[in-house]
């Protein structure tokens, strides 16, 4: 099957200016050499700590950022350097849902005008058709049709996120990039929104890039999961095998840090010291090996640590600091 | 039974609004034993933070006030305590950890100054002693290179480090009780694990009691001895932590536990949901508010269910439709 989206060696760097003349003195390597694919109808989960570059990657895919290197292709078409006029029609096919619906919905527009806007931008339908479609969209995401003439601030957080979802599915896209869509919601509302997203995926054959930091939520909704650390993907695998048999030390630490909702459960926790290092001046070798002060760190300096297939469909960075000796031996 | 440190009895806290006086906390009762952790869990707007802020009397002024009830801290009623005396208790005998460390810290003062303040105000130390005690506190919360960090401003630190400073502030005067309002919600899981371990360790070392407010049931399971579940400004269930997770009795607690995806729920299946949403404060009925959410009708909406102990230490709001086998 042809991939819906494929990203190869993508780099997004943000310049850092300083000094008297505000010359560029460095770059934040927000996304550094990332490759991934998403098949039609698939959900790829993307997890990592704050500042690891997961949101930047999501925005770069819908081309809200200009890549500094690498390639993004959507439905076989190279969109890495596509101009605004070329990107516009493609936005019908790929949409985005943001974390905070109170900020991503214009408070001065009624729900009707928020939901009509995608149709207007792309010049689709007559006034009556649009009215009908808005009613259908509201119905689809479980809001009463009377909501159309209200404003976004009149709704609760969960309802607002439903409006955000309605806007994203308005043009029947193929891919939706969801940036922390449920993190701002309460537990009971979160499950309602997750169920809605799963239903829509089945009905419309949507593919999701689901970015979140809640690992249990990501596992629930994803087919495959990618773990990002300091701008790089360190592990990518089928959701079940990633959670059951994580290979990379960072993935193991992340999973062990999740609080388990069972007071009787006894578990071993791998405590991480310190924070994620700054992406302005990242360590020259294995970034996670550096955080752990691993004895093999010196070996990785200035070396490539490519994602390598360790088991069918299970990719992990070939990093001697972060793999067990057996796993590392398997790769070389 | 261990000694009771804090006892909250039928607390009612209300806010003056354009729609009249609204009760955000409606007859809430619980107690905290010495050295134990009580978790308060519930969704936004359930009154958990207002309950906590009522205890330390940091309610938004002039709108918020305590209408009725007693808050007995070491046998002394805090409701009738004067603002001057409250100031002596806060930070000294009761420490508070707020959710957002950036708003809890003053951006214009160095960390050292903010930490020393507790010692200068409450412990009568001189500046030099206070500064040294502050460095000790930073060591306690495992801030690397504390002698240098103490001269930093809050914006120079990462989120996890800032939250450590807020914890250091709360612990500085060795309080008997810590109130932690969503202490790790703004943090990554890895940092959350560090912070929770730190809080637990200090609590054991110093024998401090804690009230932990969160919406994360995982955090509750890992840190608390007893749990209070709040809905619509009321306590719907209260029990030791094992009972809450293994033998929940109220339909709301059950729904909350079921709607969370677990590591072992089958992937891409529909999660059980609690239908509807929380009514707004002015629309709450006098009767069972969870029945209101479930759109049930009849007398359950009119008569307030009795809050009673159904088995030892296990309390529920005994609505016949929400609690089976009454």
């Amino acid at each position: 099957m042809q991939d819906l989206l494929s990203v190869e060696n993508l780099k997004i760097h943000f310049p850092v200016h300083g000094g008297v003349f505000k010359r560029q003195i460095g770059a934040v390597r927000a996304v550094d050499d990332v490759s991934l694919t998403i098949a039609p109808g698939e959900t790829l989960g993307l997890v990592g700590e704050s500042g690891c570059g997961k949101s930047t990657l999501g925005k770069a895919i819908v081309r809200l950022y200009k890549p500094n290197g690498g390639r993004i292709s959507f439905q076989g078409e190279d969109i890495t350097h596509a101009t605004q006029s070329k990107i516009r029609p493609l936005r019908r096919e790929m949409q985005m849902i943001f974390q905070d619906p109170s900020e991503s919905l214009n408070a001065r527009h009624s729900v009707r005008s928020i939901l009509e806007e995608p149709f207007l931008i792309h010049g689709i339908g007559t006034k009556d058709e649009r009215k009908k479609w808005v009613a259908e969209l509201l119905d689809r995401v479980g809001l009463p049709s009377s909501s159309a003439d209200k404003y976004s601030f009149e709704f609760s957080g969960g309802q607002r996120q439903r409006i955000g979802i309605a806007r994203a599915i308005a043009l029947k896209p193929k891919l939706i990039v969801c940036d922390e869509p449920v993190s701002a919601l309460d537990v009971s509302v979160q499950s309602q929104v997750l169920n809605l997203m799963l239903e829509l995926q089945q009905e419309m054959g949507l593919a999701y890039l689901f970015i979140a930091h809640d690992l249990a939520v990501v596992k629930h909704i994803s087919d495959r999961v990618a773990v990002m650390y300091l701008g790089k993907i360190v592990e990518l695998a089928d959701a079940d095998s990633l959670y059951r048999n994580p290979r990379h030390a960072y993935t193991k630490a992340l999973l062990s840090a999740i609080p388990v909702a069972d007071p009787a459960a006894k578990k071993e926790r791998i405590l991480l010291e310190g924070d994620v290092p700054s992406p302005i001046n990242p360590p020259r070798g294995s970034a996670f090996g550096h955080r752990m002060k691993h004895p093999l760190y010196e070996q990785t300096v200035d070396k490539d640590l490519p994602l390598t297939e360790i088991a069918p469909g299970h990719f992990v960075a070939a990093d001697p600091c972060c793999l067990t000796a057996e796993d590392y031996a398997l790769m070389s | 039974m261990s000694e009771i440190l804090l006892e909250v009895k039928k607390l009612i806290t209300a806010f003056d609004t354009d729609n009249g006086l609204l009760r955000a906390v409606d007859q809430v009762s619980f107690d905290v034993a010495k050295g134990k952790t009580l978790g308060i869990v519930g969704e936004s707007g359930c009154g958990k933070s207002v309950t906590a802020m009522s205890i330390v009397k940091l309610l938004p002024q002039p709108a918020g006030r305590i209408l009725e009830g007693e808050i007995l801290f070491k046998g002394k009623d805090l409701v009738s305590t004067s603002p001057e005396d409250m100031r002596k208790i806060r930070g000294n005998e009761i420490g508070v950890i707020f959710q957002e460390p950036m708003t809890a810290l003053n951006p214009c003062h160095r960390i050292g100054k903010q930490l020393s303040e507790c010692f200068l105000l409450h412990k009568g130390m001189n500046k030099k002693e206070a500064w040294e005690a502050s460095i000790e506190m930073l060591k306690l919360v495992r801030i690397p290179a504390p002698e240098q960090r103490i001269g930093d401003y809050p914006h120079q630190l990462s989120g996890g480090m800032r939250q450590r400073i807020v914890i250091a502030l709360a612990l500085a005067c060795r309080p008997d009780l810590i109130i932690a309002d969503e202490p790790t919600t703004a943090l990554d899981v890895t940092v959350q694990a560090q912070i929770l371990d730190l809080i637990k360790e200090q609590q054991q070392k110093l024998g401090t009691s804690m009230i932990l407010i969160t919406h994360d049931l995982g955090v509750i399971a890992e840190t608390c001895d007893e749990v209070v579940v709040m809905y619509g400004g009321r306590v719907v269930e209260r029990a030791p932590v094992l009972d809450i997770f293994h033998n929940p009795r109220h339909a709301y607690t059950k729904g909350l536990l079921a709607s969370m995806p677990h590591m072992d729920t089958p992937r891409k299946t529909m999660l059980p949901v609690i239908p509807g949403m929380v009514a707004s404060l002015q629309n709450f009925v006098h009767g069972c508010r969870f029945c209101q959410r479930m759109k049930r009708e009849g007398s359950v909406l009119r008569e307030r269910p009795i809050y009673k102990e159904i088995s030892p230490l296990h309390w529920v709001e005994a609505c016949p439709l929400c609690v089976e086998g009454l």
Side-chain angles (χ1 to χ4, degrees), chain A residues 49-50 186-188 191-192 195 201 219-223 240 258-263 267 269 272 274-275, chain B residues 43-44 158 188 190 192 194 197 218 221-222 245-246 259-261 263 266-271 273-274 276 293:
Chain A
E49 289 170 277
S50 29
D186 272 315
V187 192
S188 76
S191 55
Q192 294 173 1
N195 284 354
Q201 179 166 47
K219 180 185 181 230
H220 185 73
I221 199 161
S222 305
D223 297 296
D240 286 322
I258 311 169
V260 178
D262 181 1
K267 57 171 206 163
R269 181 176 278 169
L272 286 179
D275 299 299
Chain B
E43 297 176 89
S44 7
S158 68
D188 282 312
T190 52
Q192 166 171 293
Q194 291 171 10
D197 276 25
E222 293 205 350
F245 284 90
H246 293 285
S259 62
M260 269 199 335
M263 278 304 168
R267 280 194 298 118
K268 299 196 111 170
T269 49
M270 293 293 145
L271 292 164
V273 296
I274 305 174
R293 174 163 179 175

Side-chain angles (χ1 to χ4, degrees), chain A residues 82-307:
Chain A
T83 54
Q84 273 303 315
S85 54
K86 275 216 171 130
I87 282 293
R88 269 252 156 119
L90 274 173
R91 292 251 161 85
R92 281 181 73 165
E93 312 275 325
M94 44 186 185
Q95 287 286 325
M96 192 149 181
I97 301 173
F98 298 92
Q99 170 169 10
D100 190 343
S102 55
E103 279 177 28
S104 59
L105 301 174
N106 192 332
R108 289 166 183 274
H109 286 193
S110 67
V111 170
R112 181 186 309 285
S113 70
I114 288 172
L115 294 181
E116 259 181 2
E117 206 168 9
F119 300 114
L120 288 172
I121 288 173
H122 294 280
I124 310 167
T126 62
K127 205 174 169 196
D128 287 339
E129 278 175 320
R130 288 197 295 268
K131 199 167 177 185
K132 197 182 96 205
W133 290 334
V134 167
E136 280 170 10
L137 281 171
L138 285 172
D139 181 53
R140 186 61 210 89
V141 297
L143 291 172
S145 52
S146 60
S147 320
D149 298 310
K150 290 190 181 168
Y151 290 85
S152 62
F153 56 80
E154 296 177 67
F155 295 91
S156 69
Q159 289 173 320
R160 272 186 224 146
Q161 199 55 290
R162 286 170 192 271
I163 298 170
I165 292 173
R167 177 175 63 181
I169 60 167
L171 299 171
K172 304 203 166 49
K174 298 209 169 64
L175 172 71
I176 301 183
V177 173
C178 320
D179 191 0
E180 305 264 13
V182 296
S183 341
L185 307 177
D186 272 315
V187 192
S188 76
V189 182
Q190 173 178 299
S191 55
Q192 294 173 1
V193 171
L194 285 175
N195 284 354
L196 174 66
M197 291 182 67
L198 283 169
E199 281 167 23
L200 289 172
Q201 179 166 47
Q202 278 166 10
E203 272 174 39
M204 308 174 60
L206 288 168
Y208 292 129
L209 176 68
F210 192 95
I211 303 168
H213 66 269
D214 186 329
L215 292 139
V217 168
V218 169
K219 180 185 181 230
H220 185 73
I221 199 161
S222 305
D223 297 296
R224 289 186 303 143
V225 177
V227 182
M228 227 174 143
Y229 186 71
L230 208 66
K232 289 189 159 70
I233 289 182
V234 294
E235 191 161 3
L236 195 161
D238 177 74
D240 286 322
S241 84
L242 185 97
Y243 282 81
R244 208 177 301 128
N245 190 11
R247 308 284 186 132
H248 197 279
Y250 180 61
T251 316
K252 290 178 187 171
L254 261 188
L255 289 175
S256 81
I258 311 169
V260 178
D262 181 1
K266 285 271 170 288
K267 57 171 206 163
E268 232 173 278
R269 181 176 278 169
I270 310 164
L271 261 197
L272 286 179
E273 288 293 323
D275 299 299
V276 183
S278 152
I280 297 183
N281 199 1
R284 284 163 63 207
S286 156
F288 192 63
H290 185 260
R291 180 166 171 185
M292 293 192 304
K293 301 192 176 66
H294 198 278
L296 294 178
Y297 173 72
E298 289 304 319
Q299 282 187 23
T300 63
V301 171
D302 291 334
K303 287 241 177 65
D304 251 358
L305 306 166
L307 269 189

Side-chain angles (χ1 to χ4, degrees), chain B residues 101-279:
Chain B
M102 206 55 214
T103 45
L105 295 171
N106 187 331
C108 305
H109 292 301
R110 292 176 198 280
I111 285 153
K113 187 174 172 197
Q114 303 190 42
L115 265 170
S116 325
E117 207 178 22
C118 317
F119 299 113
L120 294 171
L121 280 176
H122 297 300
K123 298 289 175 204
M125 292 184 184
N126 64 33
K127 271 191 172 171
K128 190 161 174 279
E129 286 166 345
W131 195 261
E132 272 156 20
S134 306
I135 294 179
E136 279 309 306
M137 284 315 296
L138 292 187
K139 279 188 193 152
L140 195 76
V141 294
R142 285 196 233 107
I143 299 247
E147 287 84 0
Q148 280 117 53
R149 284 300 184 188
I150 198 160
D152 281 356
Y153 289 94
H155 72 264
Q156 291 171 293
L157 304 170
S158 68
M161 292 262 250
R162 268 182 230 143
Q163 197 55 291
R164 279 161 203 260
I165 305 286
V166 176
I167 292 172
L169 272 171
L171 291 171
C173 294
R174 308 277 147 107
D176 300 301
L177 175 68
I178 300 172
I179 296 179
D181 189 359
E182 306 263 10
T184 57
T185 307
L187 307 173
D188 282 312
V189 270
T190 52
V191 184
Q192 166 171 293
Q194 291 171 10
I195 299 284
L196 289 179
D197 276 25
L198 180 72
I199 295 179
K200 263 192 279 185
E201 185 192 304
Q202 295 308 323
Q203 195 188 2
Q204 272 159 15
K205 216 186 270 174
L206 308 172
T208 318
S209 308
M210 179 159 72
I211 297 179
L212 178 77
I213 297 159
T214 177
H215 63 267
D216 188 332
L217 290 159
V219 172
I220 292 272
E222 293 205 350
T223 24
C224 297
D225 300 297
E226 205 190 359
V227 185
V228 162
V229 182
M230 284 186 75
Y231 186 82
R234 296 173 180 168
V235 176
V236 293
E237 187 159 8
R238 171 186 154 202
V241 66
L242 276 168
D243 281 359
I244 286 284
F245 284 90
H246 293 285
N247 185 23
R249 297 296 301 274
H250 196 280
Y252 178 64
T253 315
K254 289 181 186 173
L256 214 52
L257 285 166
S259 62
M260 269 199 335
H262 285 269
M263 278 304 168
D264 39 13
T265 7
R267 280 194 298 118
K268 299 196 111 170
T269 49
M270 293 293 145
L271 292 164
V273 296
I274 305 174
M277 49 180 202
V278 191

